[in-house]
Amino acid sequence: QVQLVESGGGLVQAGESLTLSCATAGITFSAWTMGWFRQAPGKEREFVAYFGWLGESIYYANFVKGRFAISRDNAKSTLYLKLNDLKPEDTAVYYCAASDELRPVTTNEYNYWGQGTQVTVSS
């Protein structure tokens, strides 16, 4: 059974940082491209970043602008997202997902999803 479990969300003030984690089970983690998405209330789920399974490709959405950093630890089967200089508009549920594509940026390209972790940024 495939499981993706996010953690690390919370309530922070603008300018602060958070590190999200996504622990996985039931997949050969190193063989999957792993991504982060987010969904704000009333909005569609949007792509944030991915880390390719080959290990050489990392890609961010334009809005990230150097504030976020995606990483992965294949030995721990865990994906991370460091969120720096958070803004109120970053408030959303953050989801991790696994894809068998090389450079997936849409939700349709992902095979498995976690349940999400809430990030709330106050001004």
Side-chain angles (χ1 to χ4, degrees), residues 2-115:
V2 177
Q3 289 186 318
L4 284 68
V5 180
E6 301 94 335
S7 61
L11 172 63
V12 297
Q13 293 188 335
E16 294 184 339
S17 299
L18 279 175
T19 298
L20 307 183
S21 300
C22 173
T24 71
I27 60 172
T28 304
F29 182 77
S30 60
W32 291 79
T33 293
M34 299 300 298
W36 287 99
F37 285 73
R38 69 183 187 182
Q39 188 166 19
K43 294 188 177 182
E44 292 187 352
R45 194 170 297 188
E46 66 175 347
F47 170 77
V48 176
Y50 71 68
F51 198 131
W53 66 272
L54 289 175
E56 91 292 357
S57 63
I58 292 176
Y59 184 73
Y60 296 98
N62 288 337
F63 69 80
V64 170
K65 296 182 179 179
R67 296 187 299 123
F68 300 171
I70 189 171
S71 60
R72 64 191 295 166
D73 185 335
N74 288 342
K76 295 182 178 179
S77 298
T78 301
L79 180 73
Y80 303 96
L81 185 67
K82 179 72 181 296
L83 310 173
N84 298 310
D85 189 24
L86 282 162
K87 305 177 186 300
E89 53 264 40
D90 295 319
T91 294
V93 177
Y94 284 73
Y95 298 89
C96 73
S99 171
D100 56 8
E101 303 283 345
L102 277 179
R103 297 176 179 84
V105 295
T106 66
T107 56
N108 291 339
E109 295 175 284
Y110 285 80
N111 303 77
Y112 301 106
W113 292 84
Q115 83 290 345

